[in-house]
Amino acid sequence: MKFSRSLLVAGVLGLLAPPLAAQTRTVQGTVKDSLAGTPVSGAEVAVRGTTIRGVTSSDGTVTIAIPAGAVTLTVRAIGYRRRDVPLGSSDGSFAVSLTRDVFKIEELVVTGQATGTTRENLANAIATVSGEDLNKHPTASIEQQLEGRVAGAEISSNSGAPGGGLQVRLRGITSVNATASPLYVVDGVIVSDVAIASNSNAITAAAGGANPQLTQDNQVNRIADLNPTEIESIEILKGASASAIYGGRASNGVIVITTKKGIAGSTRVNATQRFGVATTARTLGTRQFNSAAEVDAAFGAGTAAAFNFQPGVFYDNEKFLLDQRQLAEQTSLDVSGGTDNTKYFLSGNVEDQPGIVRSTYFQRQSVRLNIDQKIGSKLSASLTTNVLHTKGDRGLTNNDNTGTSYYIALSSTPSFMDLRQQADGSFPVNPFASSNPLQTAALLSNVEDVWRVITGSKIELHARTTEKSSLRLIGSGGLDYFSQRNSIFSPPQLQFEPGDGQPGTSLKSNSNNLNLNLDANVVHTYSGGGFSTTTSFGAQYVRRDLDIQRVEARTLSAGQSNIDAGTQVRAREQRSLINTLGFYGQEEVLLLDNKLLLTAGLRADQNSTNANASKLFLYPKVAGSYRLSSSTGFVNALKLRAAYGQAGNEPFYGQRFTALNPTLNIQGIPGLNVIGIIGNPNLHAERSKEIEVGLDGQMADSRLSFEATAYQKNITDLLLTRNLATSSGFLQEIFNGGELRTRGVELALGVIPVQNKSTNWYVRTSFSLYRSVITSLPVPPFQTGGFGTSLGAWQIEEGKSATQIVGSVAGSDKVIGDVTPRFKMSFINDLSWRRFTLHGLLDYSQGGSALNLTELLYDAVGVSKDFVAAGGNRISTWAGGDASVYVEPATYVKLRELSVSYELPKGAVSWLGRARTGRLSFSGRNLFTSSPYKGLDPEVSNFGNQPIARGIDVAPYPPSRSFYFTIDLGF
């Protein structure tokens, strides 16, 4: 009680204390890199025990007014260890050398809506990835850059198509039926990561079969729009104990992205030019028939004669499909600089990434302007603006029920059939399938065109500043708007088009999304008396508005692509509007000479997806850490930490209502009817309660660093569906009930074997595992995802793993697999010697299962590559009632990244005039994969970002390996 009262008194005294008016003096300083001797720009120089700060310019110099008398300066810079510099009363200058913070011990990380602390005091296991790491090798999307870099993150691909489309899962399972993707925040703007289907389901009817999921369209999640080259850092808040301050949307974690900013000093220009090529990483292959008897046995008597079969003649139609080898290009340019009052960062990016499948590609153009402006001595403002344009064609892949997608058609086409374009420009009819996949790839277009604007602003008022305290008022806001146009044109001459009696299909979709957030924050800091406090509170308003309009036109006149050329036209629209109002408060206290950190916070949210939209749902958090340091011995520092927090996962839009179907038509009079699902007047968000404990340390003169974390998440109020009595007039109701528990471990180890002026060698490894169990289920066991127990389905059952795969074996349902890996590991190596740098990233996943239905399709027709040796037995075993045969181990080892670069000497770039630096790099991605999995990719999952049903392989876009040559120049 006395301690709490002293904190309150200290805070009040800090607010009432008079402004800084003591006598000051001016000192000048220089900050350099301890090894390279180069200037360190953007370093913060602070006077210990006060709020006085200065920042070094591009040449590493700073001028700062400090109190008279002896003081101690604390010098910090991103990527470097902190240094304390004592200054006597007569000292007028200082020079300091900073050592690189390879383990990122002292980097500043997010702890609240407007606050942060150094990693050495952090009570949570928050992962960070720097912009330098992101540019080791070019990728289409940010999530791909995170693969293998973050312990506790599972990242899998919906497709190998260019342009992204990935699933990110942080710390395992957090839901059964709600959203599964994390919340993304870019420079304070809450951005959309929605994945909008292209409407290709209207051609493939993929959702019309045993699995009605509408996520089978090879869709792209919109975070793929962002340009990775503009990012300064990414912070991953993996669990509720860290993300609780974001409230009812943070159960799946939060990814906080900070883009690059300008640094005071002379104007600097950086230019990057990349050239590359993608090749096929893995193929399925196909059976080669050795005799006419084999052909007739597989496809019926007389087939060999009808097709003039000749032994030894083989047409690799899969290879013909994957024969695109066009040059990939990326050009980036950024300009930064400014003064102490005005700093700017301006960048532009143009890139073109052709796919390995004919006619597929991804293009992106991006322009960014970030400005930081001081307005007087107490007021500052910042503006971030990003205009993006992405465009791509992802072809026609994944599951379908019409035989039209590439690999579905290939799975029934024998190798003696030549599907290539003929001399007259036409394509042969494929009598073994509904379509000729080479014709489909050449003539069908599936274009997605997105224009997007992300802009954020912040204004900060230093309302009161003394030597020991400060009061800041911070207002910020953000807007994320995109317009997505999907256009699919399937011309009448395609083989499959006349099959439905409606030759020619044109599909148009227009989607408009607006995310808006407004934030108001008050932050008070106090330092003195052996402790420091940071008190923050504020409010946040978030609005999300999505409108999707779809038009389908069939039987096209004269093969025109305009939708008004169709004789049958159908229109649909889907709209959603979600509002969230949140309030928060947080207190952070540093005690015992900055060794003990205690944090407590509370978030209260109103959300329009809840049945009671005005009810406040509370999400608390508490955390603490204690550092033990030693200047002697093998152990240099240890930190004990523990944290607890709660976060939510909101219902989908409209689930609280009883929906009406407008398709009713009675003698030309429109009407409405219900769709069978009744609204729930008590529906609300799921709740995740997480506790984590950890131990961090540095040893061997800070050449070895480790991090160990154990966590448990209990998710309550799961969003479930229950069947109703038919007498109610409805079939089902969505309600809150049931519980899920996820436990996991995360380990990370970093070693610096060599560090001197000529050689720097850094090795990192990470290890993670988790297990999820349904601890309470108020409804009978049910299945989600998959295609039923004859093939394998994910069954939700009390007391069992949340990701178990159940299938029919010998007439009864049994567990035949689990999509969760036993564990995951990664190994990262960075070695610099003189001007050369070698980087490598190896990713290893042990265990887990994938449902290989592509192999089943090949086996069923008898064209799988190993049909004679094994495929025939597989299909016979499955037909005999054993579903386990197509559930395969998904263990893999992948060489995700490998690059070598050379820093050009100044003499080599002097011919370019004012060039400061130059670097040449050769890099490759996904160069090597070793896996017992017989499909295209053990990581693939065709059904989008779902919480449970992952690892489904149904005719996906194949993976690729890529090679790039890069030139970087600095002016």
Side-chain angles (χ1 to χ4, degrees):
M1 185 68 179
K2 292 182 179 180
F3 176 71
S4 301
R5 189 179 300 129
S6 66
L7 291 182
L8 178 62
V9 171
V12 172
L13 291 176
L15 287 169
L16 298 178
L20 178 63
Q23 185 178 358
T24 62
R25 58 195 174 103
T26 300
V27 296
Q28 294 180 331
T30 302
V31 182
K32 293 184 178 181
D33 185 295
S34 63
L35 290 178
T38 54
V40 177
S41 57
E44 180 188 79
V45 180
V47 180
R48 181 189 287 184
T50 75
T51 58
I52 300 172
R53 282 166 172 76
V55 178
T56 60
S57 60
S58 58
D59 61 358
T61 62
V62 63
T63 300
I64 184 172
I66 65 174
V71 298
T72 299
L73 302 180
T74 300
V75 184
R76 288 188 176 94
I78 296 176
Y80 291 87
R81 299 296 301 268
R82 179 184 66 235
R83 280 284 303 274
D84 290 330
V85 182
L87 284 184
S89 58
S90 60
D91 292 334
S93 63
F94 66 92
V96 61
S97 296
L98 299 182
T99 59
R100 288 198 171 269
D101 184 13
V102 178
F103 299 130
K104 302 178 181 179
I105 302 301
E106 296 178 3
E107 70 176 345
L108 190 68
V109 294
V110 170
T111 57
Q113 294 280 10
T115 59
T117 190
T118 57
R119 179 175 293 278
E120 64 181 352
N121 289 318
L122 194 64
N124 299 93
I126 295 178
T128 60
V129 180
S130 68
E132 182 180 357
D133 291 332
L134 294 175
N135 289 312
K136 300 288 187 183
H137 183 87
T139 59
S141 66
I142 292 170
E143 304 108 304
Q144 287 175 309
Q145 298 278 16
L146 299 179
E147 289 179 311
R149 297 186 186 277
V150 180
E154 275 187 278
I155 302 173
S156 56
S157 174
N158 301 340
S159 163
L166 281 89
Q167 307 172 29
V168 178
R169 174 185 285 163
L170 301 177
R171 286 192 172 173
I173 309 301
T174 54
S175 180
V176 173
N177 291 317
T179 58
S181 60
L183 180 68
Y184 288 86
V185 182
V186 180
D187 292 329
V189 182
I190 298 177
V191 300
S192 174
D193 187 37
V194 65
I196 301 173
S198 66
N199 205 22
S200 63
N201 182 73
I203 293 176
T204 64
N211 193 319
Q213 298 290 339
L214 296 175
T215 56
Q216 302 179 49
D217 281 11
N218 193 10
Q219 58 200 25
V220 181
N221 46 321
R222 288 270 61 90
I223 204 67
D225 295 332
L226 300 184
N227 176 21
T229 65
E230 298 170 346
I231 293 175
E232 181 67 35
S233 66
I234 299 177
E235 298 177 25
I236 299 97
L237 315 184
K238 291 180 281 189
S241 62
S243 63
I245 206 68
Y246 287 92
R249 294 183 61 201
S251 181
N252 298 310
V254 181
I255 296 180
V256 181
I257 299 171
T258 303
T259 61
K260 296 177 180 178
K261 301 290 181 67
I263 298 174
S266 58
T267 299
R268 295 200 170 196
V269 179
N270 296 296
T272 298
Q273 180 64 57
R274 287 191 173 107
F275 300 98
V277 65
T279 64
T280 305
R282 207 171 187 181
T283 59
L284 293 178
T286 188
R287 177 182 178 184
Q288 298 188 35
F289 293 87
N290 298 313
S291 66
E294 279 191 25
V295 173
D296 290 346
F299 297 98
T303 302
F307 286 88
N308 191 26
F309 171 77
Q310 298 178 11
V313 177
F314 170 71
Y315 301 102
D316 192 344
N317 291 302
E318 182 183 22
K319 180 180 179 181
F320 300 153
L321 177 70
L322 309 179
D323 64 353
Q324 184 164 260
R325 295 292 182 272
Q326 297 181 7
L327 188 67
E329 298 180 73
Q330 181 179 6
T331 303
S332 300
L333 181 71
D334 67 70
V335 182
S336 62
T339 65
D340 289 337
N341 292 326
T342 305
K343 302 170 187 175
Y344 61 88
F345 175 84
L346 174 65
S347 68
N349 177 76
V350 177
E351 57 187 292
D352 183 6
Q353 297 183 21
I356 57 176
V357 175
R358 290 187 188 184
S359 305
T360 61
Y361 64 90
F362 172 74
Q363 298 172 343
R364 173 167 48 209
Q365 300 90 43
S366 171
V367 176
R368 171 174 292 279
L369 176 62
N370 291 350
I371 297 178
D372 296 282
Q373 178 68 51
K374 285 186 179 180
I375 309 170
S377 60
K378 294 187 176 183
L379 189 64
S380 62
S382 64
L383 174 69
T384 61
T385 301
N386 191 197
V387 179
L388 294 145
H389 176 229
T390 59
K391 187 176 182 180
D393 189 324
R394 298 170 72 80
L396 193 66
T397 58
N398 288 14
N399 182 38
D400 85 74
N401 290 298
T402 59
T404 51
S405 71
Y406 304 147
Y407 272 88
I408 295 291
L410 287 174
S411 69
S412 58
T413 304
S415 60
F416 55 79
M417 180 70 200
D418 187 0
L419 298 178
R420 289 177 294 181
Q421 190 173 18
Q422 298 173 345
D424 61 358
S426 65
F427 286 84
V429 173
N430 182 6
F432 299 95
S434 301
S435 68
N436 180 335
L438 302 187
Q439 181 195 39
T440 305
L443 301 182
L444 183 142
S445 63
N446 181 8
V447 176
E448 183 168 283
D449 196 331
V450 179
W451 281 95
R452 187 169 190 173
V453 176
I454 303 174
T455 183
S457 61
K458 182 175 76 171
I459 186 165
E460 182 172 341
L461 174 64
H462 290 259
R464 196 167 188 84
T465 303
T466 70
E467 287 189 7
K468 295 186 177 182
S469 69
S470 69
L471 177 66
R472 295 180 293 145
L473 309 179
I474 304 170
S476 62
L479 178 148
D480 173 22
Y481 174 80
F482 70 78
S483 174
Q484 175 178 323
R485 294 185 301 165
N486 290 90
S487 177
I488 302 178
F489 176 50
S490 179
Q493 62 265 39
L494 287 177
Q495 178 182 324
F496 63 83
E497 270 298 336
D500 59 359
Q502 299 174 313
T505 305
S506 185
L507 308 171
K508 305 287 186 182
S509 299
N510 292 301
S511 306
N512 297 288
N513 184 89
L514 173 65
N515 275 29
L516 176 69
N517 65 280
L518 301 172
D519 301 77
N521 304 280
V522 178
V523 180
H524 177 257
T525 61
Y526 177 83
S527 178
F531 69 92
S532 63
T533 66
T534 300
T535 306
S536 59
F537 58 89
Q540 181 181 71
Y541 169 72
V542 181
R543 175 188 175 98
R544 289 171 284 156
D545 191 348
L546 176 62
D547 185 2
I548 304 174
Q549 303 168 356
R550 303 188 188 279
V551 180
E552 301 174 8
R554 302 181 187 273
T555 313
L556 302 178
S557 303
Q560 296 295 307
S561 62
N562 290 350
I563 54 177
D564 59 358
T567 60
Q568 294 192 24
V569 180
R570 179 188 179 193
R572 291 175 294 162
E573 185 174 14
Q574 176 185 348
R575 293 185 295 175
S576 64
L577 174 62
I578 301 174
N579 291 304
T580 303
L581 180 62
F583 307 91
Y584 84 93
Q586 181 169 287
E587 181 73 27
E588 298 171 89
V589 183
L590 265 173
L591 302 164
L592 306 179
D593 195 24
N594 293 339
K595 292 182 179 179
L596 176 64
L597 173 67
L598 300 174
T599 302
L602 181 68
R603 168 91 180 214
D605 272 1
Q606 294 176 345
N607 190 295
S608 63
T609 61
N610 297 324
N612 186 348
S614 61
K615 181 179 178 179
L616 282 171
F617 289 84
L618 305 180
Y619 302 98
K621 62 176 286 188
V622 292
S625 68
Y626 181 72
R627 291 191 297 116
L628 301 92
S629 60
S630 173
S631 58
T632 60
F634 180 72
V635 178
N636 304 119
L638 286 176
K639 180 180 67 176
L640 302 172
R641 51 184 171 81
Y644 171 82
Q646 298 183 17
N649 198 0
E650 66 188 15
F652 288 111
Y653 174 80
Q655 286 186 327
R656 66 180 176 128
F657 299 116
T658 300
L660 299 177
N661 189 346
T663 60
L664 187 64
N665 187 315
I666 303 175
Q667 296 182 349
I669 300 175
L672 299 173
N673 64 351
V674 296
I675 62 174
I677 301 178
I678 190 172
N680 188 330
N682 300 309
L683 201 68
H684 56 267
E686 300 177 341
R687 182 174 294 269
S688 177
K689 305 173 183 178
E690 182 188 62
I691 183 170
E692 74 168 55
V693 294
L695 175 67
D696 306 336
Q698 294 84 51
M699 296 170 286
D701 196 24
S702 295
R703 302 284 285 271
L704 186 151
S705 174
F706 72 89
E707 181 180 292
T709 303
Y711 63 87
Q712 175 172 303
K713 295 193 291 187
N714 292 298
I715 297 91
T716 61
D717 295 333
L718 292 174
L719 290 164
L720 302 174
T721 301
R722 60 187 167 202
N723 296 325
L724 302 177
T726 54
S727 58
S728 68
F730 294 90
L731 300 176
Q732 293 179 324
E733 179 186 34
I734 298 171
F735 73 106
N736 292 100
E739 296 183 9
L740 163 68
R741 184 190 68 213
T742 298
R743 291 173 174 167
V745 173
E746 298 165 357
L747 305 174
L749 178 68
V751 182
I752 307 175
V754 181
Q755 187 177 50
N756 54 51
K757 289 189 176 182
S758 63
T759 305
N760 283 279
W761 186 11
Y762 179 34
V763 180
R764 289 168 284 177
T765 184
S766 66
F767 171 93
S768 63
L769 63 83
Y770 72 89
R771 301 290 184 267
S772 298
V773 176
I774 303 295
T775 55
S776 174
L777 192 66
V779 296
F782 64 91
Q783 295 171 5
T784 178
F787 296 88
T789 54
S790 65
L791 295 172
W794 281 253
Q795 180 157 302
I796 306 303
E797 184 177 359
E798 187 171 319
K800 299 296 182 63
S801 167
T803 53
Q804 66 174 353
I805 303 175
V806 173
S808 177
V809 180
S812 62
D813 293 346
K814 297 181 179 179
V815 177
I816 57 176
D818 197 305
V819 75
T820 299
R822 291 178 57 192
F823 63 85
K824 294 178 70 71
M825 295 186 70
S826 68
F827 306 88
I828 300 176
N829 182 89
D830 287 292
L831 174 62
S832 297
W833 177 73
R834 299 184 184 274
R835 297 184 177 274
F836 291 93
T837 300
L838 175 67
H839 165 76
L841 193 162
L842 191 70
D843 204 4
Y844 171 41
S845 179
Q846 173 63 46
S849 306
L851 187 57
N852 192 350
L853 299 186
T854 307
E855 185 176 56
L856 182 148
L857 294 172
Y858 273 74
D859 286 348
V861 182
V863 298
S864 51
K865 186 177 182 179
D866 64 344
F867 182 81
V868 174
N873 290 332
R874 284 194 301 264
I875 196 67
S876 297
T877 302
W878 174 77
D882 187 350
S884 66
V885 67
Y886 291 110
V887 176
E888 299 180 1
T891 295
Y892 65 82
V893 176
K894 286 191 174 186
L895 181 57
R896 291 204 184 273
E897 298 177 3
L898 183 65
S899 66
V900 60
S901 61
Y902 176 70
E903 197 78 25
L904 296 172
K906 290 186 177 181
V909 296
S910 60
W911 60 275
L912 292 172
R914 300 179 63 184
R916 295 179 293 105
T917 60
R919 183 175 59 185
L920 304 179
S921 303
F922 295 91
S923 59
R925 184 171 181 83
N926 292 333
L927 299 182
F928 168 81
T929 299
S930 175
S931 174
Y933 185 69
K934 294 187 288 291
L936 289 168
D937 189 347
E939 287 186 287
V940 75
S941 185
N942 287 139
F943 283 22
N945 202 358
Q946 298 189 60
I948 300 294
R950 303 191 180 198
I952 301 177
D953 184 334
V954 192
Y957 192 112
S960 64
R961 59 171 62 94
S962 55
F963 306 85
Y964 276 87
F965 169 66
T966 305
I967 304 173
D968 292 294
L969 294 174
F971 297 88

